[in-house]
Amino acid sequence: MRGDPLPWLLEEDTPAVRHLALRLLLDEPEDAAAVRRSRARAMREPPIAPILEHQHPEGWWDKPGPGYARKYTGTVWSLIFLDQLGADPADRRVRRACGYVLDHATASNGGLGISGVATERPPPPSAVYHCLNGNLLRALIGFGWFDDPRVRGAIDWQARSITGEGFDRYYRSGTTGPGFGCAVNGAHPCAWGAIKALRGLARTPSRRRAPYVRRAIEQGVAFLLSRDPADADYPTGTPVSSSWFRLGFPSGYVADVLQNLEVLAELGHARDPRLGHATGWLLSQQDEQGRWANRYAYAGKLWADVDRPGAPSKWVTLRACWFLRHAA
């Protein structure tokens, strides 16, 4: 580290960052006074407050239905980003959103699917992808819905679609096969999808993971470690996306090198020597004050911008510091 960014992350004027820095970097308990104050204030200020202000009373954003459109202000995106911003799970608007997503985005195969149509009909099973299902699983479990049968069904879809165990059907136009095959990636195994899927499964309580869930996690970790994360040359029919190397926040279906490191660390592999090059690359991206810039900020696409693109970002710095703490 070229500097100590912790005082910057703990500044009172960005309560959402302060709340998560207290929890993730200083291990403050959820009921600590400073944590409760920061979270309560964060719920009243940008970037969380503008999202909640645009929510329809029934629980959706933009238009009713499964909620994939519009990117990135539709229902599923708003819920995913509220989780990443550290919104309060007990807030009635957050709970209403969780219930709405489960009521409207659950496909007949148990997965959480994509539909841009304003309809009360659920998405078809061919429209369930690792990226969205994983992102929503992470948010829903983080907001306390692990024991909901629909969440358990989405976990079941997530794990069985990876391993192929007891899995009913793959689709040429969607999730094409076991091991993260995806039509959007030319039927090749999709590393972005793998990262999102593992982020969802990583939130499941370890002692309550079924054997096939554990096998899915092991298979996913093996896939992500099959390439050097610093190169990100995972299977694809196109050149390696430059988005891998543009660290950003929040995170939609795109993943970057740091998010790959984060999920591997969360699953207990932070000190794996195969992460050495990527860790070195991450350290090389900081400025002289030990801060990281937001180079994928979704500027103008969110209910409220979180950062000025290319400027030092508390959000990206928080992400980097969390991983480096586990790798040290």
Side-chain angles (χ1 to χ4, degrees):
M1 294 287 290
R2 296 172 184 164
D4 179 10
L6 187 58
W8 182 55
L9 297 177
L10 293 173
E11 288 176 347
E12 297 278 357
D13 63 349
T14 48
V17 177
R18 175 178 167 80
H19 161 232
L20 292 177
L22 288 168
R23 298 280 283 126
L24 299 176
L25 301 182
L26 297 182
D27 297 325
E28 291 284 351
E30 188 175 347
D31 59 354
V35 172
R36 288 188 288 105
R37 283 196 302 269
S38 296
R39 184 173 63 188
R41 183 178 168 191
M43 296 295 289
R44 301 191 300 267
E45 297 185 11
I48 293 177
I51 300 176
L52 295 172
E53 288 166 3
H54 284 88
Q55 185 188 38
H56 188 274
E58 293 182 6
W60 50 265
W61 284 264
D62 268 343
K63 56 185 175 182
Y68 190 79
R70 294 177 297 167
K71 295 178 185 175
Y72 293 92
T73 55
T75 304
V76 299
W77 301 107
S78 296
L79 184 64
I80 290 165
F81 295 153
L82 283 170
D83 170 60
Q84 294 178 12
L85 293 165
D88 187 351
D91 186 275
R92 58 180 175 79
R93 296 162 295 181
V94 173
R95 295 195 59 78
R96 188 182 304 131
C98 291
Y100 190 90
V101 165
L102 288 168
D103 285 343
H104 292 82
T106 302
S108 60
N109 60 1
L112 298 163
I114 290 173
S115 175
V117 180
T119 174
E120 294 299 306
R121 291 175 297 176
S126 59
V128 182
Y129 295 83
H130 291 294
C131 53
L132 180 64
N133 192 77
N135 274 334
L136 285 174
L137 266 184
R138 186 168 182 87
L140 290 162
I141 296 172
F143 285 137
W145 290 67
F146 173 76
D147 286 315
D148 188 287
R150 295 163 295 181
V151 173
R152 302 300 286 272
I155 294 170
D156 189 80
W157 182 92
Q158 190 74 81
R160 294 189 187 279
S161 67
I162 295 169
T163 67
E165 299 175 55
F167 194 69
D168 291 338
R169 182 179 175 186
Y170 296 99
Y171 293 86
R172 184 182 304 174
S173 60
T175 300
T176 59
F180 310 104
C182 181
V184 181
N185 195 39
H188 298 287
C190 178
W192 286 355
I195 289 169
K196 308 302 181 177
L198 289 186
R199 278 170 55 81
L201 294 179
R203 276 244 172 112
T204 60
S206 59
R207 294 184 178 181
R208 298 180 65 182
R209 290 173 187 163
Y212 64 90
V213 174
R214 296 181 185 277
R215 287 191 288 271
I217 291 173
E218 291 169 1
Q219 186 172 330
V221 168
F223 172 58
L224 294 180
L225 290 174
S226 69
R227 299 289 197 275
D228 189 331
D231 298 327
D233 55 345
Y234 295 99
T236 181
T238 62
V240 175
S241 173
S242 62
S243 296
W244 279 108
F245 310 103
R246 295 167 58 199
L247 301 182
F249 185 87
S251 180
Y253 62 84
V254 172
D256 55 29
V257 170
L258 175 54
Q259 194 168 63
N260 198 355
L261 295 174
E262 286 175 292
V263 73
L264 288 169
E266 191 170 357
L267 291 168
H269 300 273
R271 299 184 184 183
D272 191 298
R274 288 169 289 186
L275 303 186
H277 291 157
T279 303
W281 176 85
L282 176 65
L283 287 165
S284 75
Q285 301 302 300
Q286 64 185 307
D287 64 17
E288 293 306 313
Q289 288 75 47
R291 306 176 183 188
W292 279 260
N294 192 336
R295 306 194 184 282
Y296 204 113
Y298 295 91
K301 298 180 180 180
L302 308 172
W303 289 117
D305 288 349
V306 298
D307 282 319
R308 183 164 55 87
S313 165
K314 291 184 178 182
W315 291 106
V316 180
T317 301
L318 176 66
R319 294 179 56 207
C321 288
W322 180 89
F323 166 73
L324 291 168
R325 183 186 182 209
H326 285 265

